[in-house]
Amino acid sequence: MKQSTLSEVKSAVTPRATLLVIGVVALQLLFVVSYVGALHEPKLKDVAFGVVAPPAAVEQTVQRLDELPGSPLDPRALPDEAAARKQIENRDIDGALVVRPGGTTDTLLVASGGGRTLSVALDSLTGEVLGAQGRTARLVDVAPASSHDFNGLSSFYLVVGLCVGGYLCASILAISTGARPANPTRAATRLGTMVLVALAGGLGGAIIVGPVLGALPGSVWALWGLGALIVFAVGAATLALQGLFGVIGIGLAILLIVIMGNPSAGGAFPAPMLPPFWEAIGPALPPGAGTWAARSITYFDGNSMTSSLLVLSAWVVAGVVVTMLAAVLRQRRATEPGSPGEAS
């Protein structure tokens, strides 16, 4: 009896199962490294920052801000306050200091809709710099986050939920009918399913954060379109990874979207507060592109969305093309002489 039980245990612990368990442990540790590495010590770094000052003082002010320890700001001179406001609304800069030479109180322009933590950090830094000169700053929020959107995080949480729906649906298709579709028809069916899921998920998410909870004031139609694009981009990418690597593709999707994508998305801390690696990869991954676009729709009249939409579209195209090519190659191999073939 004992020998039989031992044999069953040994047969259950196959090399493939062992490798999968090792892979899960690796993902677990990478999760810790990524989230803690990205978020444990946020610092301002080269924040795009405007300076409006009298001609005699503007160069000196820009130089003083540019030489701050750690290079927290990337200052540039602007002609007037209207230009500074316009650049903030267009998401070209994250804040601006308007020097008022007639008194001791200047104006700090910020946009908490792009991330309240960044606005608070800029306010704190500016207060320290001006305080050393015996001056203060009056805070003006050019694009304020909704009072129902704590710390401006609702856009990020919306995108995270949409991404989860995308890779979970693709994963369920793999678990229920085989990780690798046997032919292009079945691959196209999975992609078609993802289209329906994307439309439903995008609409549901837009309605929940808008009319139901009142968390985000942006257009429901625009958020629906963006949400559908995000879900399909993540789903198609997951299907592509599964087509190439089988069930391991699910782990790779989690690595890209959850472990690398979420902490670098600019949700908890906007990109200028993240370490260089996470700041660099964030805009190229669906969570980062989606969060930026969602905030643009919600608080910036849809400005500065083109690059994010192109990133998401690139994930869609790559996902569809790789998924279909993998299915074509798999069908060809299955029909070659001597191949055992495999249906799924």
Side-chain angles (χ1 to χ4, degrees), residues 116-133:
R116 194 182 301 275
T117 52
L118 178 57
S119 299
V120 171
L122 287 175
D123 187 24
S124 176
L125 176 65
T126 306
E128 292 177 7
V129 173
L130 294 179
Q133 305 168 26

Side-chain angles (χ1 to χ4, degrees), residues 210-222:
V212 175
L213 298 178
L216 297 179
S219 164
V220 171
W221 296 105

